[in-house]
Amino acid sequence: MNDIRLQVMWNRLLSVVEEQGRTLVRTAFSTSAREAGDISAGVFDVQGRMLAQAVTGTPGHVNSMARSVKHFLDRIPAETMKPGDHYFTNDPWMGTGHLYDVVVTSPAFHKGKLVGLFSCTVHVVDIGGIGMSSDAKQVYQEGLRLPIMPVARQGVVDEWLMDLVRANVREPVQVEGDIYALMACNETGERRLSDMLAENGLDDLEMLGEHIIERSRAAMVAEIAKLPRGSWTSHMRIDGMEAPIDLHAKLTIAGDHIEVDYDGTSAQSAFGINCPYCYTDAYTAFGIRCIVGPEVPNNHGSLEVIRVKAPEGSILNAQFPAAVNARSTMGHMLPDVVYGALDQALPGRVPAEGTSNLWNLKLGAGQGLTGPTKQPFMVVMFHSGGAGARPHQHGLAATPFPSGVKNVPVEVTETVAPLVVWKKALRDGSGGAGQWRGGDGQVMEVAHRHGEAFAIFATFERVTYPARGRHGGEDGARGVVRLGSGTALKAKGMQVIPAGDRLVVEMPGGGGMGKAG
């Protein structure tokens, strides 16, 4: 089989996983999936190696899912899988880093033979426990933890298991709907893959899979060979929760790989801002891939040449049973940490620091949380501050790099929850000054439609330590969280907005690049 035909089939496989991902977005119930695109979808060979991923999705989900499928195969041997089986987990250390992400992995058969696996992830709106807060001290407090297990056998969903899920979450219809959407997503992938194999006269993915992995690995090695050899270090201090957090990285460019070692990073926190290794690995790899070989397809081969080390027990390799709900608070900072080292090796090629941490408004109300209410709810409003200035370009305003999720439209939030967004505007001048300005953050004011109390589950960064400028550019503005009446709120933890008051959030700006003038 010649390279041209293999390339055509590779492109076809990419369209298969893109349709897989689109199925999830179209059929999901929660706004995090269908509006923000906080998902991942991909196809794997029978060894659990990712061959292709959907464009739709976030790096944290995609790159940690790329490691997750092997955990499924360790728990459920491939030879025991049957057509119509679906397996799921939300275990932070086996999945994508916290309990709110449900991963479903499903075998794909063609002509009665197991030819691969499809896997996908979605961030569900609720998983029980303490809620979306970073206040928990152990993962046990954070909600329902599902080990790797079958959710459906040969097309029959385990209703006892679904009853267990429904009984433990505050939004049972949305969560159940998302789980069914995850299964439908993988079934779409399996059908399209079988069609593709039949049209090309193939019985399996082995030849194509090896071609994809080897070509991608070789392409990344060729890109690394163009870079200078050596090691460079960087450091970033961020707000943390009970104390500031120091993130240290040593980046080494070797002959055929790049290694990032986080030795010296702060120990894991007593609160839920800890990051499991899988999520650290995911965002570190993404940060490097944005600069080195960004056009090389993302799969097992291209990810294999990026090696990540983080000391066990550090905040970037938190050990069970650490609380990890807000693991993105740490993980989203890692591309900026990596860029601090890459800028020394490749000057003029990396952006200044941005807000990085998503400024999602995680809001809810219910008896025991906020007091009596006519309409209990949980909702996540995906929003962001400014990104850092880029080489020779201004930073993007209100842009969620590195996550890549979309902002949720105000109208959608006001439809699914009893909230009114009174203001959503750019925070003029919040981006750092410089030859190239950092992106501006935004300002939002939110109130309860009926004047009742509601809660915010805050997991914000860049309130004490702003996004730093680069090469003489100024820092971005710090974030602010307060009540409309003026009282300052904490950047992390659950807090109640009193009845009749408003939540006001002023999101940080990105750092500037180069001296102005």
Side-chain angles (χ1 to χ4, degrees):
M1 188 172 293
N2 63 37
D3 285 350
I4 294 176
R5 189 177 173 197
L6 285 166
Q7 184 63 48
V8 170
M9 289 196 297
W10 188 350
N11 289 338
R12 176 70 181 278
L13 190 62
L14 291 171
S15 71
V16 167
V17 292
E18 190 58 30
E19 186 171 353
Q20 176 200 4
R22 292 292 178 181
T23 298
L24 178 53
V25 171
R26 287 196 305 268
T27 59
F29 279 44
S30 64
T31 57
S32 58
R34 58 187 171 85
E35 300 293 340
D38 197 13
I39 68 159
S40 66
V43 62
F44 297 72
D45 66 12
V46 293
Q47 299 175 54
R49 300 180 300 178
M50 188 171 75
L51 303 181
Q53 61 149 100
V55 173
T56 306
T58 69
H61 284 156
V62 170
N63 289 350
S64 53
M65 179 188 70
R67 280 23 179 199
S68 177
V69 171
K70 290 192 176 183
H71 293 303
F72 279 88
L73 288 172
D74 289 342
R75 181 68 179 85
I76 305 169
E79 59 270 18
T80 68
M81 296 179 176
K82 304 291 183 185
D85 284 359
H86 297 280
Y87 315 102
F88 76 166
T89 188
N90 69 340
D91 185 297
W93 290 269
M94 300 290 178
T96 63
H98 69 171
L99 297 178
Y100 278 81
D101 290 346
V102 176
V103 183
V104 170
T105 298
S106 313
F109 288 82
H110 177 64
K111 296 181 179 179
K113 175 185 177 182
L114 179 68
V115 294
L117 301 107
F118 283 90
S119 191
C120 53
T121 309
V122 73
H123 179 112
V124 296
V125 67
D126 188 66
I127 202 65
I130 200 171
M132 296 176 279
S133 174
S134 55
D135 293 319
K137 295 297 190 71
Q138 291 185 313
V139 71
Y140 301 112
Q141 297 173 277
E142 295 185 311
L144 180 65
R145 184 164 63 98
L146 303 159
I148 292 173
M149 66 174 76
V151 63
R153 286 286 200 183
Q154 299 183 63
V156 180
V157 174
D158 188 333
E159 284 299 327
W160 290 104
L161 184 53
M162 294 302 293
D163 279 345
L164 177 66
V165 173
R166 287 189 291 261
N168 280 277
V169 301
R170 299 174 181 88
E171 297 280 358
V173 173
Q174 290 191 59
V175 174
E176 181 181 10
D178 281 353
I179 292 173
Y180 274 97
L182 288 161
M183 291 188 283
C185 163
N186 287 350
E187 288 175 358
T188 296
E190 182 183 19
R191 289 195 301 270
R192 295 296 180 260
L193 176 62
S194 187
D195 291 343
M196 173 191 142
L197 294 175
E199 289 172 18
N200 287 278
L202 297 179
D203 292 328
D204 54 49
L205 274 172
E206 290 182 15
M207 184 184 300
L208 178 59
E210 289 298 331
H211 173 81
I212 290 171
I213 290 171
E214 290 305 319
R215 285 299 178 93
S216 301
R217 182 190 296 114
M220 277 298 291
V221 170
E223 290 295 324
I224 292 170
K226 302 174 185 176
L227 307 179
R229 303 288 185 271
S231 296
W232 299 266
T233 61
S234 69
H235 164 256
M236 179 191 291
R237 174 165 286 185
I238 58 176
D239 304 351
M241 195 158 176
E242 70 269 52
I245 300 295
D246 288 304
L247 303 175
H248 290 271
K250 179 181 179 181
L251 181 140
T252 300
I253 301 176
D256 61 352
H257 69 277
I258 295 176
E259 179 181 284
V260 178
D261 190 340
Y262 290 107
D263 187 38
T265 289
S266 295
Q268 67 187 52
S269 170
F271 294 94
I273 58 173
N274 296 296
C275 193
Y277 173 80
C278 61
Y279 202 75
T280 294
D281 180 71
Y283 268 105
T284 302
F286 176 71
I288 292 173
R289 293 297 317 280
C290 286
I291 306 300
V292 181
E295 295 184 359
V296 177
N298 195 54
N299 55 52
H300 177 82
S302 53
L303 290 171
E304 195 175 30
V305 300
I306 300 171
R307 304 173 187 177
V308 180
K309 296 180 179 179
E312 290 188 0
S314 71
I315 201 163
L316 298 181
N317 189 359
Q319 302 297 291
F320 178 85
V324 293
N325 186 19
R327 89 307 193 206
S328 63
T329 305
M330 296 298 122
H332 289 174
M333 296 296 171
L334 299 183
D336 276 344
V337 178
V338 169
Y339 292 163
L342 274 177
D343 182 60
Q344 301 166 54
L346 306 171
R349 289 181 56 179
V350 305
E353 293 179 3
T355 300
S356 302
N357 165 237
L358 283 171
W359 274 58
N360 293 341
L361 305 188
K362 306 172 186 178
L363 308 175
Q367 183 66 42
L369 288 175
T370 58
T373 180
K374 297 176 182 178
Q375 184 180 343
F377 72 93
M378 283 284 178
V379 70
V380 182
M381 304 168 65
F382 284 77
H383 298 286
S384 178
R390 298 163 289 172
H392 313 298
Q393 289 181 293
H394 299 307
L396 297 171
T399 298
F401 179 84
S403 171
V405 295
K406 301 175 184 177
N407 280 201
V408 175
V410 166
E411 296 82 359
V412 171
T413 298
E414 292 179 336
T415 299
V416 301
L419 297 170
V420 177
V421 179
W422 288 103
K423 182 177 183 179
K424 178 177 166 65
L426 289 179
R427 188 184 177 194
D428 290 336
S430 57
Q435 182 180 4
W436 306 105
R437 299 187 308 275
D440 286 336
Q442 55 186 315
V443 179
M444 295 186 67
E445 292 186 19
V446 185
H448 197 287
R449 183 182 304 144
H450 308 300
E452 296 179 355
F454 64 102
I456 179 170
F457 302 86
T459 54
F460 303 134
E461 276 288 339
R462 305 296 199 192
V463 172
T464 302
Y465 297 96
R468 295 176 293 185
R470 202 178 298 283
H471 302 306
E474 294 184 9
D475 297 347
R478 295 174 176 84
V480 176
V481 191
R482 61 180 175 85
L483 297 178
S485 57
T487 303
L489 297 176
K490 296 183 298 182
K492 294 184 180 68
M494 193 202 90
Q495 297 151 93
V496 175
I497 289 79
D501 212 333
R502 294 184 183 183
L503 170 67
V504 179
V505 177
E506 301 174 21
M507 301 182 195
M513 177 82 74
K515 293 182 179 179

